[in-house]
Amino acid sequence: MPAVSQGKGKGHNKHDDDDEDRGKGKKKAKHEFDERDREVVSSYYSDRNSNLPPGLAKRGGNLPPGLEKQLERNGTLPPGLQKRLQPCPVELERRLPPLETGYSRGVIGAHLVIYNRSTNVIVDIMRNVMH
């Protein structure tokens, strides 16, 4: 009788079991902004005066045109934007659900992004959140 393999073999679908609820409560970790996230972010920034650096404040938070063009979903953060990437404010981060391992939120100019830390690929972006 031939041997029959058991399990999932060669590591295929090895992350299927990781779909259980993660983080606080019943929220699953994720890596995109949903409608609730957008409301939380909009509320957070509308309650504050813009805390942009003076150079960006003059331009209304807009990046130089060349860098602004490179800031897009599924695009890679070029070195010029990597240097401008600031961590998401701690208070805002606490209000948002956790991200999947390997992803972070950051602020570039007046925009909030979720990016993959190892590949620097932008997976989602909220434009002009600080206006």
Side-chain angles (χ1 to χ4, degrees):
M1 177 174 226
V4 177
S5 172
Q6 293 183 349
K8 296 181 181 181
K10 297 190 182 181
H12 295 289
N13 300 322
K14 66 182 178 181
H15 296 291
D16 286 350
D17 297 333
D18 292 345
D19 289 337
E20 297 173 16
D21 293 340
R22 297 179 210 160
K24 301 174 193 166
K26 297 284 184 185
K27 290 269 185 188
K28 287 187 178 182
K30 57 183 185 161
H31 59 269
E32 291 183 349
F33 294 112
D34 63 19
E35 195 59 38
R36 182 191 168 278
D37 297 344
R38 292 178 189 283
E39 290 172 13
V40 169
V41 170
S42 295
S43 172
Y44 175 83
Y45 282 110
S46 68
D47 292 345
R48 288 168 174 61
N49 292 332
S50 177
N51 57 356
L52 293 172
L56 282 176
K58 288 180 190 174
R59 293 192 297 267
N62 295 327
L63 296 167
L67 290 178
E68 189 77 35
K69 288 180 189 175
Q70 296 175 359
L71 189 60
E72 60 185 44
R73 190 174 184 172
N74 297 324
T76 303
L77 284 168
L81 287 177
Q82 289 176 27
K83 292 176 188 173
R84 292 174 182 257
L85 182 67
Q86 300 294 316
C88 182
V90 173
E91 186 178 336
L92 176 58
E93 194 71 56
R94 287 181 183 147
R95 296 181 188 181
L96 296 168
L99 294 173
E100 290 182 16
T101 303
Y103 292 87
S104 290
R105 292 181 188 95
V107 176
I108 301 176
H111 314 298
L112 185 64
V113 298
I114 296 176
Y115 65 100
N116 182 308
R117 288 191 308 261
S118 61
T119 62
N120 286 317
V121 170
I122 298 168
V123 293
D124 204 359
I125 183 168
M126 283 184 63
R127 294 190 177 274
N128 302 312
V129 295
M130 293 189 201
H131 290 180

